[in-house]
């Protein structure tokens, strides 16, 4: 069943530095990894790419504050012949050797975070407390988690005893040339349009100092590019895909509108 | 079953600008959308209209702080032959290609919001964590959410990692002439009466600066119009349908009463 | 089964103004209604009277902070042949065309309040999220809610997106002559006694300015009248039925005792 | 089954004033009653006495903050043939005509308090929301609640819409002669010993002004009397039964010890 | 089954005063008892001793803030033939006449505390609200509770209406000679070693004035004695069994280390 | 089944002092133990080593704030023939004589902590409140708990009545020579590299005074060593395994980077 999670075609990813080699070495040492960085800067795409390169299925779980350990690990369900154990997504990844990706891990409840401890030290096992089974991790299994140090870390953080079980790679927005190349490729717009979209993105990221929670992700710029490729004008596409979702603050909306207007061809 | 959700007769909608073209382009790009704006300004009606134009069923879910992911996604229920999985409304929309509308999405709990992440990026899939199934989104599926930046945003906001997955259109009250046309059409009153009702609405919206939480929606003006069309006088109809529901503050009640009295023919 | 909720004999109600005509017009327009006013001023009796006049069953639900949507809408119960759906009181009212009265609606949890949204706009339907059924409202169905703006509104209020779906009628205590007529009729005391009880009530309502949470309701005056009709003296009857329940504050107790003593024949 | 709750032998009760006649009149009018007063001053005994006089079973329910409406009203339980409804203690009292006594009612959660509303107005019925049944109150049914205005009312209070449904009787400690008579009768000590115990009680009640939460109840004095009747000395009996349970504050303990020593024969 | 809880060999207990006679008198009067005092000063051992002397089984229940009434009283469990009632430990004690000991009773939730009310007044019965049964207390049943006035009472306290149902005995650490005798007997060390351990205990208790939460219990001194009897030196035994568990504060650790060093032979 | 938990090959452990002899003496006296110390300083490895030496299975349970007593003790599960009791991991350890290790015990809820009380005094038994069984501890059973006094103790602490049931051993980071020996052995790097990694660790621990929550554990240094052994350079390995996981603070990141750069060969 885990073959559903195999990535069969190469996900587009433009490397920024030696992150691929470092991740491959961490995987070789089966060192659990934290991917850090702002929203939409490419952490998830990077991991999809590495999963494809390493030919391992990728099980992604978006964490949230109401997620509990049984959501990850599994639970008993009543069946015709009594209760039957159903593996959760983490247990399936552990059993069959996938890369398990806990996206935005700091959002999870404490029991979720603690359930991964025996998987991230020398034991490499998952005790299913409610079934009594102890699942040894498949040799190919690796745990990867992400978090966003920009605004999340102010309120929530991993416990030291969790954090020190992981290695970490820090991501940020790609450099302008690289980002324009990505936008052009993903949205199907020409280089000039992509460059102008990247400048809108850079302007929005500069507005964080003015109070914007977070700048536009590369993903937002791709959204705008796709609308442009679909026939919408540059300014309304950027308004719909970048400015209007990002903020309701009138001053910030005006600043974003000006930044967009400055790039209209 | 989703055909229950098909809108078979054209919902009355008077366009304000190019919102229909922009929404159609976003739908063509399958870009998830946020509809922003005050209570009762026409967001829901706009989406009903677009669903009719795009010939897609519309599944509407009113969000609230006690809604959890299983309310959206589905749950196990005990049946004669054991437990049976029942799709939630979001899963039905994903499976069969409806537009799924999460009304007042910021009211929902975090697990609800995170459950939609895999539907709003390149994956376009809904993992049913409790059943182990991964539902690929029907090509026609689109997620649309609404929120009210006026008073809600002060207390609650979408996470950045949610927000940056969406495009957005901002709505406000229609211009007076247009609003009068809408009120006349929907309530069955003449143009003069509709114009006077719209002036009551404008007066109430001006009172937000005096402490009123929110001004009268177009919907409230239509309510008053219907009572008038049913034989009730202008002043008692406006009191019942606009002033009395809006506030208990004596000063604001007096101000609304004066605004109504000024429009009595 | 809803015929259990039909009111077969005319409930005693003395109109104060044009509230009956206004309510009948709102019912004709199927405009959901809020009844506002202090405890025991006659909101519930008014609605019983209107239900009798309109010949519609009246399903009353007292709201509280632990009430959840399934309490209103229904739930799955395990039966010999598996799970069976049991309609809640709101669903029965929707299906069979009763007036459904949510008493003290602001006490309810948010999921309860949001569950009523699709019943209070053009859709007039109740989606049973847990069963997948969509129940169209019977043409005779109307939703009515009550709340007490005096002391409740300080802590809790309806959301704007809920409030603007309703019309509203404001109630207060009846004028003295009318209240004495009601007390005499309901308690079986003579006009002089009823007048003196009404003066006790008026004195208690004046004490709200001195710190009493709320003045005596008409209902309390009727309680005292019934004890008097049963042979208890005026002062001990008023102490038992009005002063002792209303407050434990010594100064307010003394003030109430003085107000009672002033009316002893 | 309710006959288990019939009180077959006359409970000892010494009347203080006309409380028995007033309660009997309230019962005749089926007016729900609040019994107010400090811990252990005789509220429960009074109600046992009245239940015996009125020959009605007495169902007592001690309220607490984790009690919910199903604890009172009943719930579905799974049985061999599916789910079966089990009446709660309130429902049994309503169905078969007992006096139902909610002791320390302000400790209960809001859903418990609201569940009693339809029992305390003209409807006199109990809607079992989870079963769909509407139980009309037996003609003999009466609801009685107690609360302690001394220290409880600071934190918790009944809602106005609950309070105004009840009549009320206020209790306090019996006068010294009467209390000594009660202690002598209940503990089996002579009049001199009972008088000295009552003086210890009075001294403890005076300490409330010094910071003691509440003075010794008549019940505590009876406890001390019983130990004395069993051969323990006056001082150690009062220490064990009165002073040590009442407080851990050294100054208050010393003051109580002095008050006890002053009464040692 | 309750015979499992009979104490068959005399528990070692050295009386401090007339506590055994007072407890026996309270038991004869079936007066529920509170045992007050600091951690590990002998409350539990005293009650084990009294249970042995009175030849009653002793059912001990450690209370905590997540304990609810069903944990004490019992619950329905699903069995092959439907739901079956399982008595909780309190119910078994009530039914068969044990002494039931609620250790650290103030930690329990309110429903636990209220569940014991009908057992601690003239009714001496336990209503099982969820099964409808009323269990009369066996004539030999007695309820005993403990609490620690030192640090617990600052945050939590019994309600007055609970407290006034009990008698109480106050315990403290034994006098030095007596404590040395106890330590020598229980740990198997000689009198000199026991005396030195008791001096370490006294020194630790003096540190409460310096900020230590609580001094070493007699139990801790016995732990140290046992390690010494097993061949460990005086200082490391006291460090392991007394100083290291008691505190992490460097200054207090130093003070404890000095107090231990002063007693090294 | 507990044989799954037997440690069959000697875990590598370098003793720091007489901790092994002290633990063995505590085990001989069956004195429950607390292991205190910072994250990753070797507490868990020490206990694995002792379990191997004592030839007892080791059941490790990572505590967290959502863990409840049934997670430890067991619960009823529905099976073909009705409900069946499933022992939790603590109960299995108690029944069959394992060492049970509650890692980070202060994270657990109060009911978890209280459930262990009867196992840690003379009773040495585990009452399964929900099944009615009393499980006597196997003679070989011992309870061991860990906690981190560095940053956890500020927010959470054990109750005195829990703490005084245990002996304790305090751990800290190994001395530099010893730590280098451990890193070289575990990571497979040479002595020079290990010494330089240990100096990075020491530099990170010195940064606690500058605001770092906790310094690098020995485990982190081993992670870096393994990457180096796998061909990654010293600086990127230390960045990935030590600096990037430890902090997001720019000043602390710079200080860590400088400390790493100073050790690059």
């Amino acid at each position: 069943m885990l073959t559903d999670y195999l990535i069969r075609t190469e996900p587009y990813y433009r490397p920024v530095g030696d992150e691929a080699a470092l991740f491959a070495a961490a995987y070789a040492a089966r060192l659990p990894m934290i991917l850090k960085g702002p929203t939409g800067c490419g952490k998830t795409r990077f991991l999809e790419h590495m999963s494809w390169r390493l030919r391992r299925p990728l099980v992604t779980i978006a964490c949230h504050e109401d997620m509990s350990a049984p959501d990850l690990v599994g639970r008993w369900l009543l069946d015709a012949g009594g209760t039957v154990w159903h593996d959760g997504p983490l247990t399936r990844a552990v059993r069959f050797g996938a890369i398990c990706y806990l996206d935005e891990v700091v959002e999870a409840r404490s029991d979720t975070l603690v359930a991964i401890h025996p998987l991230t030290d020398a034991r490499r096992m998952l005790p299913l407390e409610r079934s009594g089974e102890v699942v040894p991790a498949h040799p190919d299994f690796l745990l990867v988690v992400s978090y966003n140090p920009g605004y999340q870390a102010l309120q929530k953080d991993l416990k030291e005893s969790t954090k020190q079980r992981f290695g970490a790679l820090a991501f940020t927005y790609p450099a302008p040339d690289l980002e324009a190349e990505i936008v052009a490729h993903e949205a199907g717009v020409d280089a000039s349009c992509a460059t102008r979209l990247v400048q809108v993105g850079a302007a929005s990221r500069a507005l964080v100092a003015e109070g914007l929670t977070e700048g536009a992700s590369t993903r937002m710029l791709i959204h705008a590019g796709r609308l442009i490729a679909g026939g919408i004008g540059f300014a309304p596409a950027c308004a719909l895909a970048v400015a209007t979702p990002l903020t309701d603050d009138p001053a910030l909306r005006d600043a974003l509108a000006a930044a967009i207007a400055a790039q209209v061809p």
Side-chain angles (χ1 to χ4, degrees), chain A:
Chain A
M1 186 159 85
L2 267 190
T3 55
D4 289 1
Y5 293 92
L6 260 180
I7 298 172
R8 292 173 197 282
T9 54
E10 177 175 359
Y12 175 77
Y13 180 75
R14 281 284 283 112
V16 175
D18 55 354
E19 69 271 23
L22 286 170
F23 188 90
Y27 182 74
R30 296 301 183 267
L31 176 61
M33 289 297 291
I34 301 172
L35 307 184
K36 296 184 172 184
T39 299
C41 72
K43 300 185 298 289
T44 297
R45 181 60 64 88
F46 170 68
L47 188 58
E48 291 169 347
H49 183 78
M50 292 308 300
S51 299
W52 173 82
R53 275 175 60 159
L54 296 166
R55 291 162 207 274
R56 305 302 325 144
L58 176 64
V59 174
T60 298
I61 303 166
C63 298
H64 52 81
E65 70 196 48
D66 299 306
M67 169 180 280
S68 62
D71 293 330
L72 280 186
V73 160
R75 47 170 54 85
W76 292 100
L77 291 172
L78 188 60
D79 211 331
T83 46
V84 177
W85 177 262
H86 282 238
D87 278 348
L90 174 61
T91 307
R92 287 195 299 271
V94 168
R95 226 185 261 285
F96 300 110
I99 294 175
C100 185
Y101 180 43
L102 299 180
D103 197 11
E104 302 205 49
V105 72
V106 294
E107 302 285 343
R109 294 198 323 186
S110 68
D111 60 341
T112 309
L113 295 176
V114 156
I116 64 179
H117 278 199
L119 283 168
T120 52
D121 56 28
R123 292 174 285 170
R124 278 186 63 88
M125 67 183 197
L126 180 62
L128 306 180
E129 284 172 14
R130 286 167 193 244
S131 79
E133 188 187 3
V134 177
V135 183
H138 187 285
D140 291 344
F141 170 78
L142 190 75
L143 189 71
V144 181
V145 307
S146 76
Y147 95 120
N148 183 334
Y151 65 100
Q152 287 185 328
L154 297 174
Q155 299 138 307
K156 293 178 177 179
D157 201 1
L158 294 174
K159 291 201 299 178
E160 287 298 314
S161 61
T162 302
K163 198 189 276 188
Q164 300 210 359
R165 295 162 175 277
F166 287 84
L169 286 172
F171 289 77
T172 185
Y173 303 113
D177 284 3
L178 184 54
E179 192 169 30
E181 188 182 317
I182 294 168
V183 170
H185 179 273
E186 297 262 313
V189 291
D190 63 28
S192 151
C193 177
T195 301
R196 285 180 285 115
L197 286 168
V198 166
Q199 282 178 308
V200 168
S204 77
R205 293 162 198 165
L207 285 170
V208 171
E210 314 293 318
L212 193 66
T213 311
E214 209 172 23
S217 59
T218 308
R219 178 193 286 151
M220 285 187 133
L221 306 181
I222 296 169
H223 287 166
R226 283 184 184 154
L227 293 174
I228 294 166
I232 301 292
F234 186 88
C238 287
L240 188 154
V242 180
T244 310
L246 274 186
T247 184
D248 299 311
D249 180 273
L252 293 169
R253 289 282 279 269
D254 289 351
L256 283 168
I260 292 165
Q263 300 300 331
V264 171

